[in-house]
């Protein structure tokens, strides 16, 4: 499996059917060929509506391709993703409320995936795994948060719970769709720091979807620029954002609120 990229798309297209007879279908992705090597942070940037979320959702299997294929570790993914895949590839959305159940405590939600995937030999071991994941994600000591409900946490803490619920499963990849866009500026860099650290220490590959080229520049090893459903440019961050070749990439950089700086 190591010889193959983590994910690869070949001629990937996604078309949303128009509603009713008057609405034309939307070609959200067209002929996308991408190769995402494991262990790195791949940024997916582009304007609103360029197809970023559609691509993220298609990789995780939340949406099926209309054309082309998605490969994971060299194997074509078709139909319902198997359990191993669903454990290895986790998603983090912009709004943590989307992923959390408002009526269940933090601890039980971090534990839930372990039950679903049959991980941990006993209840005690599952609690230990959940506590470790929570503390790994900055919710320490875990007992302070364990019995709380999502509404009793800050936005940053809620996103940490979502990340802990993913990390506890030992994933290979996290697909993060605007993971800090809904957070207060003051906690953004902390959550970004956590994601970068998870890549470094646990070797989790990150797909970082953002409309913010500055963030992509700071965090990503490689960047793919999506423009109207197609890949305009793809390569090392320094190259794509440092000396952009595509006019659309230059436009994106010019429109960035603060000139991006490489950290
Ligand atoms: N479920 C859907 N049904 C119909 N059209 C959709 C659906 N989801 C997305 N689209 C359309 O597909 C295109 C790509 O949408 P997508 O959400 O992937 O863009 P995005 O780059 O993530 O945008 P944003 O930065 O605003 O999140 C848009 O034109 C959008 O309106
Ligand atoms: Mg989106």
């Amino acid at each position: 499996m190591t010889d193959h990229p983590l994910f690869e798309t070949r001629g990937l297209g996604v078309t949303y059917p128009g509603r009713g007879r008057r609405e034309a279908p939307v070609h959200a992705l067209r002929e996308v060929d991408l190769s995402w090597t494991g262990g790195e942070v791949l940024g997916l940037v582009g304007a609103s509506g360029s197809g970023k979320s559609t691509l993220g959702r298609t990789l995780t299997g939340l949406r099926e391709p209309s054309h082309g294929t998605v490969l994971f570790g060299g194997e074509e993914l078709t139909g319902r993703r198997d359990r191993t895949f669903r454990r290895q590839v986790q998603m983090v959305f912009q709004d943590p409320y989307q992923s959390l159940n408002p009526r269940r405590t933090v601890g039980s939600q971090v534990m839930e995936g372990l039950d679903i995937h049959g991980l941990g030999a006993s209840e005690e071991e599952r609690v230990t795994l959940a506590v470790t994941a929570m503390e790994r994600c900055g919710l320490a000591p875990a007992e302070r948060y364990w019995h709380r409900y999502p509404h009793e946490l800050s936005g940053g803490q809620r996103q940490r719970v979502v990340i802990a619920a993913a990390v506890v499963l030992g994933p290979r990849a996290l697909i993060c769709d605007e993971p800090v866009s809904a957070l207060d500026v003051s906690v953004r860099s902390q959550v970004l720091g956590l994601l970068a650290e998870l890549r470094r220490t646990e070797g989790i590959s990150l797909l970082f979807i953002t409309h913010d080229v500055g963030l992509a520049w700071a965090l990503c090893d490689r960047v793919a620029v999506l423009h109207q459903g197609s890949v305009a440019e793809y390569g090392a961050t320094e190259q794509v954002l440092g000396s952009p070749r595509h006019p659309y990439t230059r436009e994106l950089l010019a429109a960035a609120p603060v000139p991006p700086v490489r950290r």
Side-chain angles (χ1 to χ4, degrees):
M1 197 134 164
T2 43
D3 298 329
H4 297 284
L6 183 67
F7 272 103
E8 203 180 336
T9 68
R10 293 190 189 152
L12 178 66
V14 172
T15 303
Y16 295 108
R19 270 182 219 103
R21 279 181 34 211
R22 282 158 186 260
E23 214 180 278
V26 177
H27 300 288
L29 293 177
R30 305 161 193 260
E31 293 288 323
V32 172
D33 295 318
L34 264 186
S35 167
W36 173 18
T37 314
E40 66 178 8
V41 186
L42 172 61
L44 201 54
V45 301
S48 180
S50 57
K52 305 181 296 297
S53 296
T54 301
L55 182 52
R57 295 171 67 86
T58 308
L59 294 184
T60 51
L62 290 171
R63 181 152 283 280
E64 285 302 318
S66 314
H67 307 278
T69 49
V70 177
L71 292 94
F72 179 66
E75 307 237 339
E76 191 176 328
L77 296 169
T78 45
R80 195 172 145 77
R81 307 302 192 245
D82 70 15
R83 195 192 257 205
T84 311
F85 179 90
R86 283 185 278 123
R87 182 181 67 73
Q88 291 187 337
V89 181
Q90 296 292 317
M91 218 159 159
V92 177
F93 294 100
Q94 173 172 345
D95 178 5
Y97 273 125
Q98 204 178 328
S99 323
L100 296 174
N101 182 335
R103 289 185 202 86
R104 293 191 48 196
T105 60
V106 165
S108 75
Q109 295 196 58
V110 177
M111 293 250 299
E112 190 182 15
L114 296 172
D115 293 329
I116 292 172
H117 291 279
L119 302 172
S122 62
E123 184 73 1
E124 197 185 342
E125 194 181 326
R126 284 190 284 276
V127 170
T128 307
L129 288 170
V131 164
T132 308
M134 281 170 65
E135 298 191 340
R136 180 77 199 75
C137 293
L139 297 165
E143 68 230 36
R144 186 185 299 161
Y145 304 96
W146 190 270
H147 296 289
R148 290 203 206 165
Y149 290 89
H151 74 270
E152 296 171 319
L153 300 173
S154 71
Q157 289 166 341
R158 270 194 292 275
Q159 199 59 301
R160 286 176 192 275
V161 174
V162 173
I163 297 169
V167 164
V168 76
L169 301 175
R172 292 181 65 192
L174 274 187
I175 295 189
C176 307
D177 192 348
E178 306 273 6
V180 297
S181 305
L183 300 181
D184 195 88
V185 181
S186 62
V187 294
R188 272 186 199 180
S189 61
Q190 295 168 18
V191 173
L192 290 174
L194 169 63
L195 290 171
E197 203 181 293
L198 289 171
R199 192 279 293 261
R200 212 169 41 244
T201 59
E202 325 281 314
I204 300 176
S205 307
L206 300 175
L207 179 69
F208 191 74
I209 298 176
T210 180
H211 61 273
D212 185 336
V213 283
L215 276 189
W217 202 329
L219 199 75
C220 302
D221 302 305
R222 278 168 185 266
V223 170
V225 180
L226 270 189
H227 178 45
Q228 294 177 357
S230 301
V231 178
E233 207 163 343
Y234 173 51
T237 304
E238 301 272 359
Q239 180 208 314
V240 173
L241 300 180
S243 28
R245 268 181 279 166
H246 199 284
Y248 178 69
T249 313
R250 283 187 217 127
E251 237 175 79
L252 271 185
L253 284 160
V258 185
V261 191
R262 184 93 173 129
R263 271 186 223 148

